[in-house]
Amino acid sequence: MATTISPPSVNNSPVKSATAVTEVQGSGLSNEEARRRLQKVGPNAMPDTALHPLRRALGKFWAPVPWMLEAAIVLELVLGKYVEGAIIAALLVFNAALGLFQESRAQATLAALKSRLALNASVRRAGAWKTVPAAELVPGDLVKLSLGGVVAADVKLTGGEVLLDQSMLTGESVPIEAGPGVQTFAGALVRRGEAVAEVTATGTRTKFGRTAELVRTAHVVSSQQKAVLRVVRNLAAFNGVVILMLVAYAYFLKMPLTEIVPLVLTAILASIPVALPATFSLAAALGARALAKLGVLPTRLAAVDEAGTTDVLCADKTGTLTQNALTVTTVRSMPGFDEAHVLALAALASSDGGQDPVDGAIRTAAARKTVSDALKLVKFVPFDPAKKMSEASATDSTGATQRIVKGAFAAIIGLAQKSPTASTAAKELEGQGFRVMAVAAGPPTALKLAGLIALSDPPRADSAELVTELHDLGVRTVMVTGDAPATAAIVARAVGLHGAVCPPGPIPDSVHPEQFAVYAGVLPEDKYKLVKAFQKGGHTVGMCGDGANDAPALRQAQIGIAVSTATDVAKSAAGMVLTEAGLAGIVAAVKEGRITFQRIQTYTLNTIIKKIVTVLFLIVGLIMTGDAILTPLLMVIVMVTGDFLSMSLTTDNVRPSPTPNVWRIGSLTRAGVTIGACLLAFCTGVLAVGKFGMNLGIGALRTLAFVVLVFGGQAAIYAIRERRHLWGSRPSLLLAVSSAADIAIASTLAVGGIVMTPLPALLVGGTLTATVIFAFILDLVKVPVFVRLGIAQSPRHRPVNEVAQDTAEEKGIPMTEPSADQAGTSNAESEVKAKPKPQATAENSTVKAEPMHEAKANTPTDLTARVAKRAYQLYEEGGRKEGAAVQNWENAESEIRQDQAKVEPPHETKAVPKAAITSEPQPETPAETPSDMPPRLIQRVHRLYEELGRQDVRAVQDWEKAQEEIGKEHSAK
């Protein structure tokens, strides 16, 4: 929007003439000096760094998987296998086209940022005002800021008064009054008034430009990309060794080079996870389509499965947790007035239809409370920045003239009778983060203070619910805002964010999400640094925002979420955009992301199994027959039927994990090797039957090898798709259809002898029957393997007592848990027996000495669930060492109680001298009491949880069984 002078308005404030101001300031830069500075500092615009579409397309062919496919194509062409080479080339182009199509919006962020800059500016050059393109502004220029205009560069006001809306830059929802000496920034909107300012920075050196530069440079490698690279790396390393062994053995058998080269080519094709990148994109695209129906539009596909791994959400206050609209929060009426009359008087002194958000909020509130004796407006005087107030003249029912003034408390209280009560109330409201307006009315010479009006940006109705749901899903929410700490703390409490407020100043490099619940007074650069700090700590970060100031952090975060009221800049930088009011879409994104993650994880495991088995099967076939058991053409058909048809796993019915997901390629690889060994044994057995039992020729054995690889691959899919037993859930329709198509294609080719030696239909059918039986046997092997490697449950395990509690509530089973006072007593007693520690306080001894029901009353919060959760985390971090269970519990309780002390006021306890604790006589043989049981319960539950598979459905039984066992031991003693 151009910053040219607007026509005079009745709502404009009376300010000094801009022309008069500039006469005092000088004639501005000369044209020659302006040109010289423009050459030196460059244009007031963002540089165009967009990649050419052709370059982006070529980049899709420069990655590990494309490299392997390209090498295979070259070998096929060298061998004269043009059909096979063409098929592989088609697969390569398919992968590249799919990825390129999904990244069509990659350069939209910078374009949106550039469009936000003002197109034209009114500048004083050589003693005359002229309109020039904003890109030609240079430091030192004098520019005019007018009503409705966008500030074109960072400037410092030299004359005049304006009301500036900087919410898109700073996150402050309340406009600021700006006069001479005030610095403002490019992108701010002039709401009222007119002023002259000197340009201090342009282009990328502006605050807005630095935000754009941060967006351009912000980048984080998605966990999806890391997973693909690690899978390719592991497969390449393993299969590379196997291929070398294959070549060595072929050389040992004195095979001719013309046979060794096709064998090597077949092995290379067998080791390429050709459809892995495409499957990741397809799964994310299907998740994106499901989210679109819920009002969430992903702009980057990687953000879909990243939502499933997110464990920290940085929520912006303005426009995200709040409505980004000023409303009247509180009205404090003075003696002789009531709330309705205070609002009615304030409305008379407020502009009607203007852009001032304060006036708009007051008139809206007044409309809801009518008064019968309302005054009749005679004259309205708009807000005067010099006087810090607006006023009106009105007549009452008797025809007497009444004067009404509204404005800053300090300005109004000077015109009305003094009121100590009002001063105290004003300080109280301001201390709570409200913007306070005072209203006075009465005869022109005897004004009385009518009341105080507090305004704020209220929380959204669904914000508290969002925070609670995310907490239940294992996602920690923190508020990140540029607003004042007092205001941010109020909003945080209102939406259920409990915790400390980060002290003002630079964001620490090693900050952790658990340290603070609120980060206030944060600049765009700080938001960006905060996201990077969380990521450095190993967290997957989500960032909500609506303004340009949030764009860098939105871009850097694994999942940037722009709310429905966000600017184009924020929407372009974000990975997801909410199209509907409210933030329920975030919860939907997290759940859908976890579904997508489970589907991708299943396909990844399936790829690892098949690639390992196929390459090893080539060695087994070579040893058993002395020939290559598969030809390059058969291998290409296996790739098409196996890899691409199994992409239907992206539509499968899966259970989303209750906690954030995390990629553990090492565990997946170990599971793949274990299950792959079983599949290899099955394939070897079928081949041995064909070789030694049926005396099949090499051609028929190759067909049999092809058939058993296809059928065995389907058995593996149905065994691993379900984290428990394979009959635990039904497959999706598309998966079932693709499996049937895969089996039908392989059977038709084998029985019909198409591009291979034919096999009897009875042999193909018998192989299929054996495969079905093998699938159930493989499922029995899979369950303990998945449990041991943490695949059967989310890698970030839920604590046992939390799972048990949730399951018990669902099934209506009563739960008996050790209480916080029991845990505290255990901790205190163990410390008394050893040596005095800071934790062995009077509070603990008091709890110990009192009956349990009284101790419960003194306990501020039941901390058992939190302590158990932390104890289990320590148990996991320490490698599940059973002997450390008691220590884990004590350390966890110490941490939780210290955290609790920071957020809760101290509770009164019966003071017992510390000496009394240490000098208390101890029995010769300490008797075990119920207070000693919680750590032992946790220890036993750990063992049961591991033995029984960490399954939620058994968690209640685990807990109750552990209690029963420990209780019997206690009774026996």
Side-chain angles (χ1 to χ4, degrees):
M1 185 181 297
T3 55
T4 55
I5 297 179
S6 301
S9 169
V10 293
N11 291 329
N12 283 356
S13 60
V15 299
K16 296 179 182 179
S17 168
T19 304
V21 173
T22 55
E23 287 176 356
V24 175
Q25 296 292 334
S27 59
L29 299 178
S30 66
N31 293 329
E32 182 62 30
E33 177 64 16
R35 281 193 295 270
R36 188 185 69 80
R37 295 190 183 189
L38 185 62
Q39 292 177 353
K40 180 180 179 181
V41 301
N44 180 35
M46 297 303 301
D48 188 2
T49 57
L51 291 176
H52 191 279
L54 180 59
R55 186 174 178 181
R56 287 173 48 209
L58 293 176
K60 296 300 176 184
F61 297 93
W62 190 255
V65 172
W67 292 340
M68 299 172 75
L69 289 174
E70 289 156 6
I73 293 172
V74 172
L75 286 175
E76 293 282 14
L77 295 179
V78 169
L79 295 175
K81 306 288 186 179
Y82 300 113
V83 175
E84 293 89 333
I87 295 175
I88 298 173
L91 299 180
L92 177 63
V93 173
F94 173 79
N95 277 339
L98 182 60
L100 189 64
F101 174 77
Q102 297 296 343
E103 295 177 0
S104 59
R105 298 183 181 181
Q107 296 299 320
T109 300
L110 291 181
L113 283 166
K114 288 163 62 177
S115 68
R116 285 287 297 166
L117 291 175
L119 299 177
N120 295 291
S122 181
V123 61
R124 189 170 180 81
R125 295 269 177 84
W129 288 102
K130 61 174 67 176
T131 300
V132 300
E136 296 181 8
L137 289 180
V138 296
D141 265 331
L142 291 176
V143 295
K144 188 176 296 184
L145 308 181
S146 302
L147 174 65
V150 175
V151 180
D154 285 4
V155 298
K156 184 177 182 180
L157 272 64
T158 59
E161 300 268 359
V162 288
L163 180 69
L164 293 173
D165 181 355
Q166 298 186 131
S167 61
M168 292 301 101
L169 297 171
T170 65
E172 291 279 1
S173 56
V174 180
I176 64 168
E177 298 288 346
V182 174
Q183 179 85 32
T184 189
F185 310 105
L189 177 64
V190 181
R191 289 287 192 181
R192 182 184 63 233
E194 187 174 291
V196 173
E198 179 181 352
V199 175
T200 59
T202 59
T204 57
R205 290 167 296 280
T206 64
K207 183 173 182 177
F208 197 87
R210 289 194 299 271
T211 299
E213 184 67 13
L214 281 175
V215 173
R216 187 183 69 82
T217 57
H219 176 69
V220 59
V221 178
S222 69
S223 60
Q224 183 187 99
Q225 290 175 288
K226 293 177 182 177
V228 171
L229 290 175
R230 291 192 63 188
V231 169
V232 173
R233 182 197 66 186
N234 292 353
L235 288 177
F238 179 83
N239 291 338
V241 173
V242 174
I243 291 173
L244 289 176
M245 295 170 57
L246 187 66
V247 173
Y249 187 74
Y251 181 77
F252 173 77
L253 294 179
K254 297 182 171 24
M255 291 179 63
L257 184 62
T258 54
E259 295 182 11
I260 293 179
V261 172
L263 179 62
V264 171
L265 176 58
T266 303
I268 292 175
L269 290 173
S271 64
I272 301 175
V274 57
L276 189 63
T279 303
F280 274 49
S281 297
L282 180 59
L286 293 175
R289 187 175 67 177
L291 286 175
K293 297 177 181 178
L294 301 175
V296 182
L297 299 179
T299 61
R300 292 197 303 272
L301 287 182
V304 177
D305 64 279
E306 293 287 7
T309 63
T310 299
D311 59 351
V312 178
L313 177 67
C314 299
D316 182 53
K317 181 185 75 69
T318 305
T320 303
L321 295 175
T322 67
Q323 300 176 11
N324 194 22
L326 279 179
T327 60
V328 173
T329 305
T330 304
V331 178
R332 297 282 182 89
S333 56
M334 297 295 109
F337 298 88
D338 58 22
E339 184 176 324
H341 281 86
V342 172
L343 288 173
L345 292 171
L348 291 174
S350 300
S351 61
D352 185 10
Q355 299 187 50
D356 192 315
V358 173
D359 288 354
I362 289 176
R363 295 187 71 89
T364 300
R368 300 194 188 103
K369 295 187 177 183
T370 59
V371 293
S372 58
D373 56 344
L375 302 180
K376 184 177 181 181
L377 181 65
V378 176
K379 181 183 179 182
F380 169 68
V381 180
F383 183 84
D384 185 347
K387 296 180 179 179
K388 303 296 183 183
M389 68 179 188
S390 62
E391 62 179 288
S393 295
T395 57
D396 58 19
S397 57
T398 64
T401 300
Q402 299 286 321
R403 182 188 179 196
I404 305 107
V405 293
K406 170 184 68 70
F409 177 78
I412 302 302
I413 198 64
L415 301 176
Q417 300 173 6
K418 303 296 182 182
S419 173
T421 305
S423 299
T424 302
K427 290 180 181 179
E428 177 189 345
L429 293 172
E430 289 172 351
Q432 295 176 9
F434 296 124
R435 181 172 182 178
V436 179
M437 306 295 293
V439 182
T445 58
L447 294 178
K448 292 180 60 178
L449 188 65
L452 304 177
I453 300 175
L455 300 101
S456 67
D457 182 10
R460 292 179 179 271
D462 62 348
S463 292
E465 180 183 355
L466 164 71
V467 172
T468 301
E469 273 201 86
L470 288 176
H471 179 268
D472 294 341
L473 291 170
V475 180
R476 178 174 177 82
T477 305
V478 297
M479 179 192 293
V480 184
T481 177
D483 216 335
T487 305
I490 292 173
V491 175
R493 289 195 296 269
V495 300
L497 292 177
H498 303 291
V501 178
C502 183
I507 299 295
D509 293 334
S510 59
V511 68
H512 301 291
E514 297 80 11
Q515 290 180 253
F516 304 104
V518 178
Y519 297 82
V522 178
L523 297 175
E525 295 88 346
D526 293 330
K527 292 184 180 183
Y528 173 75
K529 291 176 183 176
L530 182 64
V531 171
K532 294 196 73 173
F534 287 165
Q535 291 171 339
K536 186 178 179 181
H539 295 280
T540 302
V541 184
M543 171 70 189
C544 298
D546 67 332
N549 63 317
D550 302 321
L554 289 173
R555 190 68 170 178
Q556 177 66 28
Q558 281 94 342
I559 170 175
I561 305 170
V563 299
S564 59
T565 57
T567 62
D568 291 340
V569 175
K571 290 178 180 178
S572 299
M576 290 185 177
V577 178
L578 305 182
T579 61
E580 298 178 1
L583 302 176
I586 296 178
V587 177
V590 169
K591 293 179 179 178
E592 187 62 36
R594 294 181 185 181
I595 290 174
T596 300
F597 180 92
Q598 293 298 325
R599 291 168 174 169
I600 293 176
Q601 181 173 252
T602 300
Y603 186 87
T604 302
L605 179 58
N606 176 60
T607 298
I608 293 172
I609 294 171
K610 287 184 177 178
K611 298 309 173 185
I612 290 176
V613 168
T614 306
V615 175
L616 290 176
F617 192 48
L618 291 175
I619 290 185
V620 171
L622 182 61
I623 294 173
M624 188 179 295
T625 66
D627 290 295
I629 199 63
L630 289 174
T631 65
L633 180 58
L634 288 178
M635 192 65 247
V636 170
I637 298 174
V638 170
M639 289 170 59
V640 173
T641 57
D643 290 9
F644 282 91
L645 284 179
S646 59
M647 289 174 69
S648 58
L649 281 168
T650 58
T651 68
D652 195 20
N653 299 319
V654 298
R655 295 185 180 94
S657 60
T659 54
N661 300 118
V662 63
W663 279 104
R664 299 180 66 184
I665 300 301
S667 295
L668 289 178
T669 302
R670 288 192 290 273
V673 170
T674 304
I675 296 174
C678 298
L679 179 57
L680 178 64
F682 172 71
C683 294
T684 301
V686 172
L687 187 64
V689 170
K691 169 67 176 176
F692 304 110
M694 303 179 66
N695 296 316
L696 298 178
I698 186 60
L701 286 175
R702 285 172 175 164
T703 305
L704 182 60
F706 164 77
V707 169
V708 75
L709 280 177
V710 174
F711 289 177
Q714 288 298 322
I717 286 177
Y718 282 87
I720 66 174
R721 61 167 293 274
E722 174 57 55
R723 300 296 179 258
R724 300 169 187 173
H725 289 293
L726 61 82
W727 56 83
S729 64
R730 66 174 62 184
S732 67
L733 178 60
L734 186 57
L735 177 59
V737 170
S738 67
S739 297
D742 194 13
I743 294 172
I745 291 172
S747 301
T748 301
L749 294 178
V751 175
I754 304 173
V755 302
M756 62 187 73
T757 302
L759 286 180
L762 186 61
L763 177 57
V764 175
T767 304
L768 180 59
T769 302
T771 304
V772 173
I773 298 173
F774 167 72
F776 287 92
I777 297 175
L778 185 61
D779 183 68
L780 297 177
V781 176
K782 172 211 69 178
V783 171
V785 170
F786 276 19
V787 167
R788 185 63 182 171
L789 296 176
I791 300 174
Q793 183 63 280
S794 171
R796 294 174 184 174
H797 304 290
R798 298 178 70 192
V800 176
N801 71 309
E802 184 178 313
V803 176
Q805 182 67 39
D806 291 348
T807 309
E809 289 176 356
E810 291 175 3
K811 298 186 177 183
I813 301 175
M815 282 289 292
T816 304
E817 294 186 340
S819 63
D821 50 274
Q822 291 173 320
T825 306
S826 174
N827 190 28
E829 184 175 344
S830 63
E831 290 171 356
V832 170
K833 291 177 182 178
K835 60 180 181 178
K837 293 183 180 180
Q839 287 82 0
T841 60
E843 178 182 350
N844 285 336
S845 63
T846 303
V847 174
K848 178 180 177 181
E850 293 178 354
M852 275 297 172
H853 67 277
E854 294 180 11
K856 185 74 175 179
N858 286 333
T859 302
T861 308
D862 190 350
L863 303 179
T864 303
R866 291 174 59 190
V867 174
K869 180 177 181 179
R870 180 56 183 158
Y872 196 82
Q873 290 174 347
L874 293 173
Y875 169 69
E876 288 287 320
E877 294 169 2
R880 307 196 188 107
K881 296 179 181 178
E882 300 297 344
V886 174
Q887 184 179 358
N888 289 343
W889 183 276
E890 293 177 353
N891 292 340
E893 184 181 20
S894 176
E895 292 180 16
I896 298 301
R897 286 189 175 276
Q898 289 176 7
D899 292 343
Q900 192 74 9
K902 294 178 182 178
V903 299
E904 289 189 358
H907 293 260
E908 294 183 0
T909 58
K910 296 181 180 180
V912 177
K914 186 174 181 179
I917 302 176
T918 56
S919 61
E920 183 179 340
Q922 300 295 329
E924 295 180 2
T925 305
E928 188 180 73
T929 66
S931 63
D932 290 316
M933 294 173 61
R936 296 189 59 197
L937 281 173
I938 290 294
Q939 181 184 33
R940 180 56 183 154
V941 170
H942 287 170
R943 188 176 298 112
L944 289 169
Y945 195 51
E946 295 292 335
E947 293 173 356
L948 298 179
R950 307 193 194 110
Q951 297 182 19
D952 292 0
V953 295
R954 295 176 178 173
V956 176
Q957 298 172 2
D958 293 351
W959 186 274
E960 293 177 343
K961 186 176 180 180
Q963 278 189 313
E964 183 180 353
E965 291 178 2
I966 302 300
K968 289 180 180 178
E969 293 178 11
H970 170 62
S971 300
K973 292 182 180 181

